[in-house]
Amino acid sequence: MSAAAPKIGFVSLGCPKALVDSERILTQLRAEGYAIVPSYDSADVVVVNTCGFIDAAVEESLDAIGEAMAENGKVVVTGCLGARAEMIREKFPGVLSISGPQDYTSVLNAVHAQMPPQHDPFMDLVPPAGLKLTPRHYAYLKISEGCNHRCSFCIIPSMRGDLVSRPIDEVLIEAEKLARAGVKELLVISQDTSAYGVDLKYAARDWRGQSRQARFLDLADALGELGIWVRMHYVYPYPHVDKVVPLMAEGKVLPYLDIPFQHSNPRILKLMKRPASGEKNIERIRAWRDICPQITLRSTFIVGFPGETEAEFEELLDFLDEAQLDRVGAFAYSPVTGARANELPDPVPEEIKQERLQRFMEKQAEISAQRLQAKVGSVQRVLIDQVGPTVAIGRSSADAPDIDGQVHIATGTRGGKRKAALARADAPQLQPGQFVDVRIVEADEHDLHGVLA
């Protein structure tokens, strides 16, 4: 690449879906000859991909824009907060351009206007799988944009629009390229993964000489042919999800479902405008475990939703006891500008919300610790993420990156008596992206500890 190549700084905020947007923009910029640089002072233009889901994310995005303006001054803003352009313009009138999520063309046009591309056709500028912001051995695979639900606490549809699924052959071709490029784990993401294809009327496309419909089941089955880990995120508990669980029992996709239940009480779920009820969820969880006993279930919940009574919160704690979920995240309800839930009566006082959140997390910590303790003595297949002088860190099939726990593998004799006692003297040199079998010897509330089996 020429020394005169224009240089782009990039700040990516928000969820994995926004991360995929960032990767697509960066890949196109790199293909056009732009250099991607890590500092404000070396950049000709800075792109900030924002988040606007909750008020804390809005503040973080505004802080990032402000920092980029102060340190560089030539700033292109995109992403979810870009849907509220008037607020950004009022605070930062000097930004070069503002666009919403998935509006890649506007970002590229703004960069081109400031620094025209200087592509060198004699250089191989882009790797086959595109530029990734994740480690080389795992990648997010986004199968759709937007959402058809109108949950009362969420403003994502107003930012990202209704569901728009990608044709299934397009998704599978991208997945194939990623696998050929060395990716060992695909994390399937969207706003509502189990609704995939409904907007396409489940249109079929050919892939590897076979017709595949744009359906959750067909997609999971096809991805299972790639011979790598496939992990499903953001799955609503619709009845047809049951058909994917046998694929997990067969080992075609990871026995893992990320299902945002949000609550268990039917009245609260109705106020949230969620398409599920607590009773049916318990029945479905039992059925899944009958089919695939090793399945890992992760979920998220909101406590202190407007109108939530103490009895309804206690019901949620009972749901945790009964469901015995493996991984759980929770947050106290926070009003989001533009969300209809803000208009509901009987808001829960902040101190009660925080007290309920603490009780909720204490309850789940006990459950998590018990479920992890049950794995002591077992051998787990682990994908290595990091390697240190005495300990390697990886993840089992039960652990998604950044949101779940980890497996700590003792590899040397330094670093304390416990690690020295656990480590094998003949342990091979491990590498990120490598699969190993690990015998679990200890567990805590979140993580497992073990040695090479």
Side-chain angles (χ1 to χ4, degrees):
M1 183 179 292
S2 154
K7 300 176 179 62
I8 305 298
F10 208 102
V11 178
S12 184
L13 304 173
C15 64
K17 293 177 282 295
L19 186 75
V20 173
D21 291 342
S22 295
E23 290 173 341
R24 291 176 178 172
I25 294 168
L26 284 168
T27 296
Q28 185 59 38
L29 289 170
R30 189 73 175 85
E32 294 176 353
Y34 291 90
I36 312 302
V37 296
S39 62
Y40 291 118
D41 55 2
S42 59
D44 297 310
V45 180
V46 176
V47 178
V48 180
N49 189 8
T50 60
C51 179
F53 180 53
I54 60 176
D55 288 350
V58 171
E59 290 303 316
E60 182 185 19
S61 294
L62 292 174
D63 288 346
I65 297 168
E67 181 177 287
M69 289 294 292
E71 296 292 332
N72 183 280
K74 297 179 180 178
V75 179
V76 174
V77 178
T78 189
C80 284
L81 192 60
R84 298 164 65 181
E86 67 288 343
M87 180 180 68
I88 298 173
R89 283 284 182 206
E90 181 179 350
K91 197 170 181 67
F92 306 106
V95 295
L96 299 176
S97 170
I98 302 172
S99 56
Q102 309 135 50
D103 190 355
Y104 313 131
T105 300
S106 293
V107 177
L108 296 170
N109 288 342
V111 172
H112 294 165
Q114 191 66 29
M115 293 291 297
Q118 297 182 15
H119 171 53
D120 182 353
F122 299 102
M123 298 293 289
D124 182 13
L125 297 173
V126 180
L131 295 186
K132 294 296 171 188
L133 298 176
T134 53
R136 182 175 180 269
H137 58 278
Y138 69 82
Y140 293 101
L141 181 68
K142 186 157 63 168
I143 63 173
S144 65
E145 301 284 1
C147 182
N148 287 343
H149 297 298
R150 294 297 183 266
C151 300
S152 62
F153 57 83
C154 181
I155 59 172
I156 292 298
S158 67
M159 295 179 173
R160 290 183 170 264
D162 289 336
L163 177 72
V164 178
S165 302
R166 299 172 62 193
I168 191 166
D169 58 335
E170 180 183 314
V171 174
L172 294 174
I173 289 169
E174 179 184 350
E176 235 175 350
K177 288 181 179 178
L178 290 168
R180 285 199 300 265
V183 167
K184 303 294 180 62
E185 177 182 12
L186 286 176
L187 299 109
V188 178
I189 59 170
S190 68
Q191 205 62 41
D192 179 1
T193 295
S194 40
Y196 171 68
V198 66
D199 58 306
L200 299 177
K201 298 182 179 178
Y202 310 113
R205 296 284 186 92
D206 286 339
W207 180 70
R208 290 186 172 183
Q210 183 177 351
S211 178
R212 301 278 187 171
Q213 284 191 308
R215 292 181 183 272
F216 181 45
L217 177 61
D218 278 33
L219 178 66
D221 184 62
L223 291 173
E225 295 183 7
L226 297 177
I228 60 178
W229 276 9
V230 176
R231 190 182 301 276
M232 298 296 182
H233 285 281
Y234 315 125
V235 179
Y236 279 71
Y238 304 138
H240 69 263
V241 173
D242 301 356
K243 298 177 182 178
V244 175
V245 178
L247 299 181
M248 299 177 178
E250 296 166 17
K252 294 199 71 172
V253 297
L254 288 182
Y256 180 102
L257 280 176
D258 178 357
I259 300 181
F261 289 123
Q262 305 297 8
H263 212 279
S264 63
N265 177 266
R267 189 184 77 88
I268 296 298
L269 288 169
K270 186 175 181 180
L271 290 175
M272 291 179 171
K273 297 192 179 299
R274 298 292 286 177
S277 72
E279 295 89 347
K280 291 181 180 178
N281 288 339
I282 286 292
E283 293 172 5
R284 187 150 288 129
I285 288 169
R286 289 173 181 156
W288 293 339
R289 286 182 171 144
D290 285 342
I291 298 168
C292 183
Q294 69 272 33
I295 193 170
T296 295
L297 299 177
R298 125 167 291 280
S299 190
T300 52
F301 294 87
I302 299 173
V303 302
F305 192 78
E308 182 191 61
T309 66
E310 177 63 23
E312 288 165 338
F313 173 71
E314 291 282 354
E315 182 180 318
L316 179 56
L317 295 183
D318 291 340
F319 176 86
L320 289 183
D321 273 329
E322 194 167 4
Q324 291 287 300
L325 302 174
D326 300 271
R327 306 292 193 185
V328 170
F331 57 92
Y333 174 76
S334 173
V336 178
T337 302
R340 287 175 294 171
N342 300 339
E343 303 168 6
L344 292 173
D346 304 319
V348 179
E350 187 62 34
E351 62 273 15
I352 294 180
K353 286 192 288 187
Q354 294 304 321
E355 184 265 344
R356 288 179 183 173
L357 178 62
Q358 182 177 349
R359 288 161 59 196
F360 180 98
M361 295 310 297
E362 287 174 353
K363 168 70 72 175
Q364 180 56 35
E366 294 173 5
I367 295 170
S368 176
Q370 291 169 4
R371 295 190 70 80
L372 290 176
Q373 190 65 36
K375 296 184 179 183
V376 172
S378 69
V379 174
Q380 301 288 328
R381 190 70 167 164
V382 172
L383 179 59
I384 301 296
D385 285 334
Q386 304 171 46
V387 179
T390 60
V391 177
I393 296 176
R395 293 175 292 105
S396 72
S397 64
D399 309 309
D402 299 327
I403 58 174
D404 291 329
Q406 298 172 318
V407 182
H408 300 256
I409 308 156
T411 59
T413 57
R414 293 174 292 165
K417 292 183 179 179
R418 183 174 68 81
K419 292 176 185 175
L422 297 179
R424 271 178 41 177
D426 60 344
Q429 180 62 45
L430 301 179
Q431 299 291 333
Q434 178 182 355
F435 284 106
V436 294
D437 290 328
V438 177
R439 185 173 302 282
I440 305 304
V441 299
E442 190 175 332
D444 55 37
E445 291 179 357
H446 304 291
D447 298 336
L448 298 173
H449 303 263
V451 294
L452 294 175

